[in-house]
Amino acid sequence: HTQEFLGSLPMPGNGHRGPMMQWAARQIATYARSASMPLECCVARSDGEHGIFTQVRPVVHEGLSFLTRCADYRFLDSATVKAALAAGTTVRMTHPDSGMVRDVFDVPSIAWPSSDDNTPRVRLVVTRSIFPADKKHRVGRRIGNEVFELFATDRPATSLHAADVVSIYLQRGQFEASLAQEERELPAGHWASN
C-alpha cells in the first residue's frame, strides 16, 4: 500500500455506489498511469457494499485488479465451494486484536453467480468461524453455529496466498491508523489550511 490518499467522494446519506466505484476506479487508474505503474499491479480493495459483480465491473473496466468482501452468498450454494469446504483447510488464522479464529478455504476459479453472461471467473476465498448460538455476528452468513465470509479477487494464488487475501482485507484499518498517526505528529497548520 502506497499510503497515499487519492481522494474522497462525499455524498449525502450512504452515497451512490455505482458512481462512487466508477470515480474511484478512474482515480486509481489515472494515478497509476501518471506514475508509470502497470494497471494490473493496482488492486482496488472495496467493502461489502460493493461486493456484487455489478459494483466490481468498473474496476475491471479500468484494467485494475480487485479484492472485495463478497456480498453474494449464492456462492455458498455452489458445488465447487461445498467441495472446497468438505476437503478441509490447512490454513487457520487468528486475528491479533479480536482473537477470532478463521479457517481459510481457497476456490481458485469459479463463475460469479449472475444472469449476465459476461461475468468473469473469479477466485473466491472463504473463511469459516465458529460462533456460539448466543453470540451475534456482524458480517458474513451464519449457517448453524458457523459464520462464513467471502472475499472475491482476480489475483491468482501465485500472486496472493489465501491468507494474504484475508489479511489485506481485514487490515484495512492500518491505512486509517497511519493517517491518524500522521495527524498526531504533524503540526495543525499542515492539515488545517485552505
Side-chain angles (χ1 to χ4, degrees), residues 54-71:
T54 56
Q55 292 297 312
V56 174
R57 186 175 276 137
V59 174
V60 173
H61 177 74
E62 289 290 339
L64 304 166
S65 291
F66 66 88
L67 188 165
T68 189
R69 179 185 291 276
C70 184

Side-chain angles (χ1 to χ4, degrees), residues 5-194:
F5 191 71
L6 300 183
S8 178
L9 187 61
M11 293 182 156
N14 289 330
H16 304 286
R17 293 182 192 130
M20 280 193 308
M21 188 59 91
Q22 289 171 346
W23 182 88
R26 274 195 308 270
Q27 290 295 109
I28 296 167
T30 299
Y31 174 82
R33 283 191 284 273
S34 70
S36 300
M37 294 174 12
L39 292 178
E40 64 273 7
C41 292
C42 299
V43 180
R45 185 219 152 274
S46 59
D47 291 331
E49 72 175 307
H50 300 286
I52 57 175
F53 182 70
T54 56
Q55 292 297 312
V56 174
R57 186 175 276 137
V59 174
V60 173
H61 177 74
E62 289 290 339
L64 304 166
S65 291
F66 66 88
L67 188 165
T68 189
R69 179 185 291 276
C70 184
D72 196 339
Y73 290 100
R74 292 178 295 171
F75 274 117
L76 291 174
D77 298 328
S78 161
T80 304
V81 171
K82 287 179 181 180
L85 294 172
T89 183
T90 58
V91 180
R92 179 167 277 172
M93 299 177 68
T94 303
H95 195 278
D97 295 331
S98 67
M100 178 181 284
V101 177
R102 290 177 172 89
D103 290 329
V104 181
F105 304 86
D106 199 345
V107 180
S109 179
I110 187 169
W112 199 308
S114 173
S115 58
D116 184 347
D117 292 336
N118 296 320
T119 56
R121 296 191 70 79
V122 296
R123 178 173 172 216
L124 187 70
V125 175
V126 180
T127 66
R128 179 181 63 200
S129 304
I130 304 298
F131 268 74
D134 61 339
K135 188 174 180 183
K136 290 191 70 112
H137 69 287
R138 292 189 338 218
V139 295
R141 170 71 47 91
R142 181 181 217 127
I143 300 173
N145 66 342
E146 297 174 328
V147 173
F148 296 88
E149 296 173 79
L150 308 176
F151 304 91
T153 185
D154 61 348
R155 303 305 302 165
T158 55
S159 172
L160 288 174
H161 187 275
D164 294 330
V165 169
V166 176
S167 291
I168 288 170
Y169 184 84
L170 293 177
Q171 295 303 320
R172 65 191 184 274
Q174 292 305 100
F175 180 54
E176 288 87 353
S178 295
L179 290 176
Q181 180 66 27
E182 287 176 16
E183 286 180 5
R184 285 190 296 274
E185 293 174 357
L186 296 173
H190 179 78
W191 53 266
S193 68
N194 286 341

